[in-house]
Amino acid sequence: MNVVLSLLLIALFVGAGVWLAAVVDRALGAWRAGARPDGLFMGPLREAAAMLVRPRAETEVTDALFRLLAPGWYLALAAVSFSVVPFAPGIVATAPSTGLVLWGACEALVIVVVFIHGWAPNSPFPLIGAYRYVAIGLPAMLPSMFVLIAAAVPAESLALPAVVESQRELWNVVRQPLGLILFLAIGLTITLRGPFDYADPEDLAGGTSAEESGPALALWRLARLAMLVSFSAMAATVFFGGYLGPWLPGPVWLALKTLAVMFATQAVGHLLPRMPAPRMLAAFWLVALPLSFADLLLVGLESLA
């Protein structure tokens, strides 16, 4: 029964979260352009409906199988990542003792999915976006492991329910503010947005999505937003105590914290400029990776004290 309830909550979170994320993206985009958003709340639904009835553009010598599967795999990774997030004590779709490892594996597989999405159309811009994402994505994922292990140290477990329970006295965001900042950067990378969007940027005419249109483009955008919701729920669980909170039910607290993280991630993505790829690579290898290791070291020393 708890598994069924968890699956229903995942569907509700992802469905409502995707729509809200699209609304916030629309509002932030209009704000940056100094314009008034047209159809703020219904606009995303109208755009999705319009994409579904458009014909799909075809390219020559396309890898049809990968082109068909890549958006679905991306969406599946978002769902699997969400499946380990607890909504309340005992309410979780699956609670493996290595839940954080499962999340890390999904993060890493995003690189594969984005690459085949850019490689499948057999076109220059998508392929350039795919290779650029692989170059940026690999060093971006490495700090994630240190950050997540540091979050698991107070719980002495890699299971998400144990990580949440370890924050009853003090949230991890207070113990590890640096870890949260690094984790938000990783979230921007795996959701292809903001200063880390090297896969689908405007300077590549859409990058891996340059040749996509119709239902395939709608599914890819849906998968990106679903991964944003999944990442936000994971950040709320690991750093903000997940379902913990007074008076309100656990799923409500998780929803509120997820919305806060999602809005912050989208705002950062819209406000920060993108650096040239070589400079960003240097930032990942020379700054983010040592900082993540220092974060893990500090948490380890604190746990021994």
Side-chain angles (χ1 to χ4, degrees):
M1 182 63 184
N2 285 340
V3 174
V4 174
L5 177 59
S6 300
L7 293 176
L8 290 175
L9 286 171
I10 290 174
L12 178 62
F13 267 62
V14 173
V18 163
W19 175 68
L20 283 173
V23 169
V24 172
D25 261 341
R26 195 178 183 85
L28 289 173
W31 173 71
R32 282 192 61 197
R36 187 173 181 177
D38 180 27
L40 180 60
F41 294 102
M42 297 305 295
L45 299 179
R46 285 202 300 266
E47 287 183 9
M51 279 191 280
L52 290 176
V53 297
R54 285 177 192 151
R56 181 177 186 176
E58 296 294 342
T59 55
E60 294 183 356
V61 198
T62 301
D63 190 319
L65 181 60
F66 276 171
R67 198 173 181 187
L68 178 66
L69 291 178
W73 282 342
Y74 200 179
L75 189 59
L77 288 176
V80 171
S81 302
F82 214 139
S83 68
V84 296
V85 174
F87 293 92
I91 301 180
V92 58
T94 177
S97 59
T98 55
L100 285 175
V101 177
L102 179 62
W103 164 259
C106 290
E107 275 184 345
L109 287 174
V110 167
I111 299 175
V112 179
V113 169
V114 174
F115 179 78
I116 64 174
H117 185 248
W119 179 72
N122 190 35
S123 183
F125 283 159
L127 192 59
I128 294 172
Y131 277 114
R132 283 205 320 194
Y133 187 73
V134 170
I136 293 293
L138 283 174
M141 302 303 165
L142 290 176
S144 174
M145 292 299 100
F146 290 123
V147 168
L148 292 177
I149 293 172
V153 168
E156 300 180 359
S157 173
L158 294 172
L160 267 301
V163 172
V164 173
E165 290 301 321
S166 71
Q167 300 176 75
R168 282 199 175 274
E169 300 298 328
L170 188 65
W171 290 356
N172 278 337
V173 66
V174 179
R175 296 189 184 108
Q176 308 163 41
L178 177 60
L180 174 64
I181 295 171
L182 292 171
F183 197 63
L184 288 179
I186 294 160
L188 290 168
T189 306
I190 65 172
T191 57
L192 318 183
R193 62 180 52 246
F196 304 108
D197 180 16
Y198 291 93
D200 288 7
E202 294 180 355
D203 65 332
L204 282 179
T208 69
S209 301
E211 302 291 349
E212 297 295 353
S213 61
L217 181 59
L219 182 58
W220 182 251
R221 291 184 177 177
L222 171 67
R224 286 181 55 178
L225 292 174
M227 181 58 79
L228 174 64
V229 177
S230 180
F231 161 78
S232 301
M234 180 60 65
T237 300
V238 172
F239 289 98
F240 293 97
Y243 55 75
L244 298 177
W247 307 307
L248 299 175
V252 176
W253 274 116
L254 180 62
L256 293 175
K257 295 171 184 177
T258 299
L259 284 175
V261 174
M262 191 170 73
F263 180 78
T265 306
Q266 289 179 285
V268 171
H270 278 274
L271 293 175
L272 291 185
R274 193 179 56 194
M275 290 191 288
R279 195 181 304 170
M280 184 64 78
L281 275 173
F284 276 129
W285 284 112
L286 302 178
V287 179
L289 188 57
L291 284 179
S292 64
F293 184 74
D295 179 63
L296 175 59
L297 183 62
L298 290 173
V299 173
L301 292 174
E302 181 187 353
S303 65
L304 292 175

